[in-house]
Structure formats: structure tokens, C-alpha cells
Amino acid sequence: MNRAGPRRPGPVVIAGALAGFLLLLAPAVVVATVSFSSGEFLAFPPPGLSLRWYVTLLGNAEILSALATSAILASTVAMLSLLLGLPASYAIARLDFPGRGTIATLLAAPLLLPTLVLGLALLLALQPLKLVATWPGLVLAHCTVAVPFAVRIMTTAIGSVPAELEAAARTLGASPLRAALRVTVPLAAPGVLAAAALTFLVSFDETVISLFLVGPRLTTLPVELFRYAENRTDPMLAALSMMLIVIALTIVLLVERAAGLTRTLSKE
Amino acid sequence: MIGWLLCLPSFLVIGLGFLWPAAILLRMSLNRTDDIGAMQPDLTIATYARLLDDDMMPGLAGDTILLAAGCAAMAVTLAFPVALAIRAAPPRWRGPLALAAVAPLLVSGTARVIGWIAILGDSGMVNGALTLVGLPPQRLINNWTGVRIGLVESLMPYAVLVLIAGLGRLDARLEEAAATLGAGRLRTFLRVTLPLSAPALAAAFALTVVLGASAFVTPRLMGGGRVFVVATEIYDLALQTVDWPAAAALAVMLLLALGAAFALRGLLPRGRA
């Protein structure tokens, strides 16, 4: 057959795909460029290049404190999501018990709710308990959206480890707990790592729920960025955005190196 | 039994962070707000009635639905060639290309809006190019145009994800067979690829409509306070007016509408892909 195979897309599809990729990637590329602008406004192309907005950014105490809050919050949320989610993931992937399907559905339910509605609901629930703008309030709110992700990814990861390996360990005298912790969980480690990275990102980038739950004394980086963008538009916004993007990309690339995030995600 | 015990820690988080707040939200929507704007504990549908009676509501709901449906249709249309190209790419390229297409999901929504301001703003890229060729600058931001562009872009990665999953089940040999039997590229696409992709396209549209109807960051920031949709209204009622019963009731109505949209989708005939 000397004609092009049908699986090779035609020029129209390729042109459409290029346009699509351009649209998807343009904002991030432009933000990266403008963050090095020497001008006063969010203008593209920038009048000149400089690091002045990064210097301004690093001299802003409020933003640095929000960065610290976000980093600590996201690490806490990632750790808690793994600790709390791993037993459930194991149970859903490996054990057969009545109500397993219901539990699995319930543990994914918060992702069905728009974050705006979830944020409002959390505000109404936490306000009477004086938990708004506190660490426990923010950790609970972020865990509510992080745990479903963690459980979903780790359930897939554990499910893809052959059950025979654990059975073999049991035959050789390992207790059920030992067999699970020494055989299945280490083999599912790439999935667990991916879950850690993703839950960190979910928390680190979370904007809408946080908007309802932060206060003047405790605020996160995405909320600072949002509030700043509501009022002013100068290239510091781009520098601040770059900070978020670079941190997110670093984590994704590290995990991609270590475990193959694309593989882990495409298995879903 | 052991299964339940293992699920308990996760369930506690979901119970405290989702089930209980959802119940509080529903309960709050049944309270009412008195004439001086103070919340009164009650068990009434007065707040719902007040919102439904409001002259602003039909416009607000209509704008939200039009925005969500239009942007979802556009996002799916633009995501389709992207997904087709990823599917047809050499296996070694598929992962990186898919990652590039969904990369925006890993970038904060606000950060992407900043990018759009630099592209569409008064001193942005598009207006710079227009001025250069002697055309009058356009207002592309702080209005509906800006919100639409930003929303389409923010919905596209979700559409790509759903389409990649859906197209993965599409048997490439059917397209090969069509070509072998003499169908040209266009004919193969229209008669084989498109009909077989219809369920995936419908699923992508359903998901992006729901996400678009509840989107907040893009309408708020790209609209510059001049674009009002249900999501921005809920936010204002909750945090600016501090009319919690109204915010809760509007949120419940939004959820009911989204639920109804999903139920309608269940009624649609599904393809045999």
C-alpha cells in the first residue's frame, strides 16, 4: 500500500492540533516571558528584560509568608492523604467486603462538587467552630479534595500488583499485615509517589476553596495571587505565577523521572 | 469488617470535610434573611422563593448556561484534533504530547489568567499586533469576550483527557479498512472516525459544560468585575453581602441544575463504541 495510512492524520487535523496546542500553552509561555519584563505593565512583548519583578517579589514579606504557608500546608496535606488514604486504597483494591462499592463511590464524591460550592459549605460549617483562617480548617478543607485523588491513584496502583505475590508471602509464613506492607505496598511505590505529588499539587494550587477559608493572618500563595490580580496588573503577577508554575513543574518532572507520572495517570 | 476499619480514616475526612458541610449548606439554605440583612434561623423555602422572584435571576441563569454550553462546545471542537493527533503519534511521542496537552491542569488557573491578560489586554500581544498593522485596538478583556477565551482554554485539557480515553477504544483497523476499500481522508473521517467518536465527544461536552457552569476564577478575573454568572454571584453573596441563606440556596440550585444536566445526558442514546 503506497498511500498514506489512515492513522496518519491529514493536514487539517494537524493544523487543528497545532492551533489547540498553541492555545493550551500560550498563557504559560507568555507568563514566563512577561515575568522577566523591565516595564511597568503586563505588556507583551515586554519593552526590555530584567529581573526587577523577581527582586520586588522576594522583597514582599506577605507573599513570602504566603509561600511558606502554602508549602507547609501542601506537604502536610500530601502526607496525611497518603497515611489516611493508603489503608482505604488497599481495602478497596484487595479485600472483598460488603459496601465496598459504596465506600469507593463516597470517597470520590467530593470531586463531583464544584470547588466553589464545597468552599462555601466548608465556610458555613467551620465558621461556628471558629476554624476559619486556622491551620486545622485549611488542612481539613484541602484533605477533602486531596484524599479522593490519593485513594483513586493508589487503588489503581495496588490493583495492578499481582495478588499472587502477596499470596506467596502468606504461604511462606508472613502475616497479612507483613505481606501487605513488605510486598504489595513497595511494589505499588510508583503509584504512591505519584499520589503524593498530585495531592501536594492539588493543595499547593488550590484557590477557590481557600478563598472562603483564609483570613488576614493566614493566607495561601494562590489566594494572594488571586487577590493581587483582582486589584492590579503589573509584571510581579507574572513573576508570582512563574513561582507557582516552576514549583509545580519541578514536582511533576521529579515524579516523572522517579515513577513515570504519565504512565501512572494513563492507567486510570 | 477489616475492610471497613481500613476505610475509616479516609471516611472520617470525607465525613467531616464533605458530608457534614454539605448538610450544613442545605440547612443554611432553609434559613431566611430579615429586612436589615441579619440571618434568622428558620425552616422555610422563603430564600428560594426570593431568589426565584428576583428580576436578575433569569438573565444570570441564561448567561451562565450560554457561557458554559458555548465554551464547552468550542473546547471540545478544539480538543478533538489534539486528541486525534496524540492518538496517531508514534508511541514514544504519545506520553509527552498528552502531558503537554494536560499541562495547563498543573498550572494554577490564576496564573493562566495572568498570561491571558498579557495576551489580550490593552497593551497585550493581540492589540500590539493590531496597532502595528494600523487597525484600531479591541477590548478583549474585562468583558465577555475575555471570559469566553479564558474559559475555552481552561476547559480544553479536560476535554482532551476524556477524548484520549474515549478514542483509545476506537479500533484503528476500521479506519484502515475504510481506506483500503477506497474511502478518502475526508470520507473516512466523516463516515468512520466521527461517528465512532460521538460517545467520547458527548462525554467530553457533558463534563466541560458542568465545569464551565461552575467556573469561578476565569469569569471573575477575566471579566474584571463586569461579568456576572451564578458562580460569581454565590461568591459575592457569601463574602461581600454576607447573605448566607441566599448564597446557600443559590449553590443548592446550581447543584440541582448540574444534576439535572447529568441526568439528561443519561437519557441520550449512547453509541456502540
Side-chain angles (χ1 to χ4, degrees), chain A residues 131-207:
Chain A
L131 281 175
V132 171
T134 64
W135 282 97
L138 277 177
V139 169
L140 173 66
H142 283 203
C143 278
T144 306
V145 280
V147 165
F149 276 115
V151 169
R152 192 166 158 194
I153 294 172
M154 291 193 294
T155 303
T156 316
I158 293 173
S160 61
V161 175
E164 293 79 20
L165 294 176
E166 206 176 319
R170 298 278 299 278
T171 318
L172 294 171
S175 67
L177 182 67
R178 198 178 153 86
L181 287 181
R182 298 294 292 275
V183 177
T184 305
V185 171
L187 285 171
V192 175
L193 195 61
L198 216 72
T199 46
F200 182 93
L201 284 182
V202 164
S203 166
F204 195 75
D205 278 344
E206 162 51 46
T207 310

Side-chain angles (χ1 to χ4, degrees), chain B residues 144-242:
Chain B
W144 282 97
T145 314
V147 174
R148 284 190 202 108
I149 295 174
L151 197 55
V152 166
E153 188 258 347
S154 75
L155 294 177
M156 271 179 72
Y158 294 99
V160 172
L161 270 182
V162 175
L163 289 176
I164 289 178
L167 296 182
R169 268 173 257 142
L170 199 157
D171 193 342
R173 283 171 306 179
L174 293 172
E175 289 163 317
E176 275 162 37
T180 315
L181 293 172
R185 210 166 237 148
L186 182 66
R187 204 173 153 87
T188 307
F189 176 78
L190 288 178
R191 301 295 294 271
V192 180
T193 314
L194 192 59
L196 287 174
S197 313
L201 291 169
F205 181 74
L207 176 70
T208 47
V209 161
V210 166
L211 290 172
S214 53
F216 169 71
V217 169
T218 306
R220 182 66 162 209
L221 291 181
M222 302 279 290
R226 292 189 193 88
V227 167
F228 298 97
V229 289
V230 171
T232 57
E233 191 63 25
I234 292 175
Y235 181 81
D236 284 338
L237 282 170
L239 294 180
Q240 249 109 64
T241 330
V242 198

Side-chain angles (χ1 to χ4, degrees), chain A residues 7 31 84 98 106 144 205 230, chain B residues 4 10-11 87-88 106 172 220:
Chain A
R7 294 222 55 188
V31 160
L84 303 173
L106 202 60
T144 306
D205 278 344
E230 268 191 316
Chain B
W4 282 94
S10 297
F11 180 75
R87 169 174 170 261
L106 302 170
R220 182 66 162 209

Side-chain angles (χ1 to χ4, degrees), chain B residues 10-94:
Chain B
S10 297
F11 180 75
L12 272 180
V13 173
I14 305 308
L16 283 175
F18 170 67
L19 296 178
W20 172 57
I24 300 267
L25 179 81
L26 198 61
R27 180 65 192 83
M28 177 61 76
S29 73
L30 299 172
N31 290 339
R32 65 188 166 79
T33 314
D34 65 18
D35 296 335
I36 55 163
M39 197 257 293
Q40 297 295 336
D42 205 336
L43 209 60
T44 164
I45 54 162
T47 307
Y48 289 93
R50 176 165 62 105
L51 285 174
L52 290 174
D53 249 9
D54 197 318
D55 293 335
M56 216 181 64
M57 279 306 280
L60 196 67
D63 285 348
T64 305
I65 292 168
L66 280 181
L67 177 73
C71 290
M74 196 65 200
V76 174
T77 310
L78 287 166
F80 193 32
V82 171
L84 285 174
I86 291 173
R87 169 174 170 261
R92 162 168 81 85
W93 281 96
R94 259 175 239 163

Side-chain angles (χ1 to χ4, degrees), chain A residues 40-125:
Chain A
E40 296 289 329
F41 307 103
L42 273 177
F44 192 91
L49 298 178
S50 81
L51 287 172
R52 61 179 283 205
W53 294 106
Y54 284 95
V55 175
T56 314
L57 185 66
L58 293 177
N60 189 320
E62 278 167 43
I63 283 176
L64 291 184
S65 128
L67 170 65
T69 305
S70 278
I72 297 170
L73 180 62
S75 312
T76 313
V77 168
M79 222 145 51
L80 277 176
S81 304
L82 290 198
L83 282 177
L84 303 173
L86 192 56
S89 310
Y90 181 83
I92 293 168
R94 274 284 192 271
L95 306 178
D96 199 17
F97 55 99
R100 189 181 65 157
T102 317
I103 282 273
T105 312
L106 202 60
L107 290 185
L111 300 183
L112 294 177
L113 215 58
T115 47
L116 183 83
V117 178
L118 193 56
L120 172 64
L122 278 158
L123 168 71
L124 300 181

